[in-house]
Amino acid sequence: MRRTFVALLLVLSLSAAAYLAWKGVAELMDRRAGTAYYARLSQSVGDSADVRLPEPTARRPEDEPLPSVTDVERPQPVSEIDFDSLRMNCPDVVGWIRIEGTVIDYPVARGEDNLFYLSHLPDRTANSAGSIMMDCACDPGFGSTVSILHGHHMRSGAMFGDLDEYAAEAYFQAHPTLRLFTPEGDFDVEIFAACTVDGRDFGYPTDFADEVAFNAFVADLQFRTGYDTGASAQWGDRVLLLSTCAYSFDTARFVVAGRIVEDEAGETDFAPEE
């Protein structure tokens, strides 16, 4: 009886070990598939950004043809990213973020909830890497006072796995801005805070009742940051907030906040709610 029990226990142990090994390999392959997908997508976007129309061939005045539709000056695209082409396979993409010199170079998807894109790529393929996801409470056109982006903290450093590197001032000094691409235009984002918060009570606000509430939000993030960024945000600015899991305690989250820099003319449809 004892030998039977020991044999059964051994079989169960081996089965469990085999399952865990299989699960580990499956997860590794899944992550590699996600990494390869994003690398291809980033490359395709980079290639499309390099496309330029050929210069017209010089003509003598007497040979100049009558004007045609093809001779009319084409308007310049408002974004470096061809969102029309991107949305053919990734219909829920609302933007793209890039931090030069880091792995962060990803499209931003927005779903009907905050669950789907935790486990799906922007083309809606199931994958544990998920997507960089805009919080569904935010305006898809980045018109909210705070536009919140969530991403997994991958052990490989992919997605938002390296976001907590901003806890070090030297890392911030090397990467003080990020680039936000949207169908309405591209913007620099000037980082003003990077810190750990408690996901249970942080609240992740998207809009504020008044200037006092907004200023308190900004000041709190700056106070939590372990160094002076030399940057800030004022009432009327739009803020981009990147968030990922942290592991200093169970409900810890690491966030990076930046001010979306408008063009010099100050032209924007954004206005804070009264």
Side-chain angles (χ1 to χ4, degrees):
M1 184 70 179
R2 184 176 180 180
R3 289 182 177 178
T4 302
F5 175 76
V6 171
L8 180 60
L9 185 61
L10 180 60
V11 170
L12 290 174
S13 298
L14 291 174
S15 297
Y19 170 75
L20 291 175
W22 170 83
K23 185 177 181 180
V25 171
E27 289 180 353
L28 179 61
M29 293 178 64
D30 194 46
R31 290 172 183 171
R32 286 181 175 177
T35 300
Y37 167 83
Y38 282 114
R40 292 193 303 272
L41 190 62
S42 181
Q43 182 63 48
S44 67
V45 168
D47 290 343
S48 65
D50 291 334
V51 174
R52 297 290 184 271
L53 294 174
E55 293 294 330
T57 303
R59 296 175 179 271
R60 291 178 296 147
E62 60 269 22
D63 293 335
E64 187 173 348
L66 293 174
S68 67
V69 174
T70 57
D71 294 321
V72 177
E73 183 178 354
R74 293 179 173 85
Q76 293 297 313
V78 295
S79 175
E80 180 182 324
I81 305 294
D82 185 350
F83 283 98
D84 289 337
S85 297
L86 183 59
R87 284 171 169 169
M88 292 178 67
N89 294 315
C90 308
D92 294 330
V93 165
V94 296
W96 191 292
I97 56 170
R98 178 181 300 155
I99 303 180
E100 294 294 340
T102 78
V103 299
I104 296 179
D105 189 7
Y106 298 113
V108 176
R110 181 182 181 277
E112 296 181 357
D113 55 43
N114 287 338
L115 294 176
F116 183 79
Y117 281 110
L118 287 177
S119 58
H120 290 79
L121 301 175
D123 65 357
R124 298 181 175 176
T125 300
N127 189 281
S128 60
S131 301
I132 300 304
M133 174 185 69
M134 175 183 277
D135 196 292
C136 65
C138 298
D139 172 56
F142 293 87
S144 299
T145 306
V146 181
S147 295
I148 304 165
L149 307 184
H150 304 281
H152 283 307
H153 189 286
M154 306 291 285
R155 286 180 293 181
S156 65
M159 308 308 287
F160 280 171
D162 284 347
L163 198 65
D164 57 1
E165 295 287 346
Y166 273 102
E169 183 176 4
Y171 191 85
F172 162 76
Q173 293 294 344
H175 315 287
T177 63
L178 63 90
R179 189 71 170 163
L180 170 65
F181 304 89
T182 80
E184 287 71 41
D186 303 337
F187 306 88
D188 286 329
V189 179
E190 187 179 60
I191 295 171
F192 64 80
C195 57
T196 300
V197 300
D198 190 333
R200 292 172 301 183
D201 56 26
F202 182 60
Y204 287 95
T206 59
D207 287 297
F208 301 86
D210 52 36
E211 183 176 357
V212 173
F214 175 79
N215 289 342
F217 171 76
V218 172
D220 179 57
L221 289 177
Q222 291 177 313
F223 177 77
R224 295 170 186 256
T225 302
Y227 50 87
D228 182 7
T229 63
S232 189
Q234 299 178 347
W235 178 240
D237 289 334
R238 291 183 295 169
V239 171
L240 189 68
L241 185 80
L242 282 55
S243 175
T244 192
C245 292
Y247 302 105
S248 51
F249 52 91
D250 287 345
T251 55
R253 301 290 183 271
F254 194 86
V255 299
V256 171
R259 177 179 69 93
I260 298 176
V261 181
E262 307 292 350
D263 59 35
E264 293 182 359
E267 297 177 355
T268 174
D269 294 329
F270 168 75
E273 295 182 358
E274 297 295 338

